[in-house]
Amino acid sequence: MTASHEPPHRRTARWRLPHAPASAADARALTARTLTGWNAGTPEDRDDVVLMVDELVTNAVVHGRGPVRLRLRLDGTLLTAEVADDDPAAPTPPGRGPDLLDWAENGRGLLLVGSLASAFGTRPEGPGKTVWFTRLLHHPAPAKIPAQAAAQTAPPGQASPPGRPVPAPHHTAAAPPADPETITAP
């Protein structure tokens, strides 16, 4: 398998998580692993997306009901994350003006999402709702070979100089995320 430094044009992953506090940690791990496997964005982008997913899944567990459904969709460099639950009540976004600077316990997650996302919102879906955000990701920098390692690499078909082993080739094959239809958190 040949690795690409550009994310695939379109990718989607879906998980159904139980309505339990541990689902936030599971969502963080699944999101991080999937974005890394897709080579999507920079490490900073991935950290921000993991934080936003954590906030939305936590809100779904604390304020929603029923299983939590997480979907990640990558279209070029635009990532859309959606978190759905079976409670139709939409979250109340933080207010404007002075309230926007209020980092009180309630509403802090949506304040974080609002500051890190390109856009976010909510929509009714089935018996409940979906809270979503988009994030325009940066292109990751291509991997650089250190000058010393490059100097130690012998041309194809030639042995390396004595005492200077040729390093093993570095392969960065993007591991596909686990089958999203079968992932359930314990």
Side-chain angles (χ1 to χ4, degrees):
M1 173 186 215
T2 304
S4 170
H5 292 290
E6 296 292 329
H9 182 64
R10 290 181 189 214
R11 292 262 178 117
T12 300
R14 293 183 176 111
W15 300 275
R16 184 180 179 100
L17 303 166
H19 188 260
S23 290
D26 294 334
R28 287 191 307 269
L30 292 166
T31 299
R33 185 176 73 216
T34 300
L35 295 177
T36 299
W38 289 349
N39 196 29
T42 63
E44 294 80 14
D45 284 330
R46 292 190 291 269
D47 289 345
D48 288 351
V49 169
V50 167
L51 176 61
M52 290 186 284
V53 165
D54 175 70
E55 292 296 339
L56 296 186
V57 170
T58 297
N59 282 352
V61 169
V62 171
H63 303 290
R65 65 175 186 244
V68 178
R69 295 169 303 281
L70 169 61
R71 181 171 89 153
L72 301 176
R73 186 177 63 235
L74 182 64
D75 188 359
T77 59
L78 182 66
L79 178 79
T80 302
E82 300 174 332
V83 176
D85 67 68
D86 293 335
D87 186 345
T92 305
R96 299 273 182 230
D99 292 341
L100 189 60
L101 301 175
D102 180 11
W103 285 87
E105 193 64 30
N106 291 336
R108 185 174 27 186
L110 291 179
L111 185 59
L112 279 170
V113 172
S115 23
L116 296 173
S118 302
F120 78 103
T122 184
R123 68 175 181 270
E125 190 167 313
K129 66 177 168 310
T130 296
V131 182
W132 58 269
F133 68 83
T134 60
R135 170 77 179 239
L136 188 59
L137 305 176
H138 299 89
H139 289 286
K144 294 181 181 178
I145 300 174
Q148 182 180 17
Q152 293 178 0
T153 306
Q158 294 182 5
S160 62
R164 299 189 60 152
V166 175
H170 179 73
H171 297 285
T172 312
D179 180 1
E181 298 303 321
T182 60
I183 292 179
T184 54

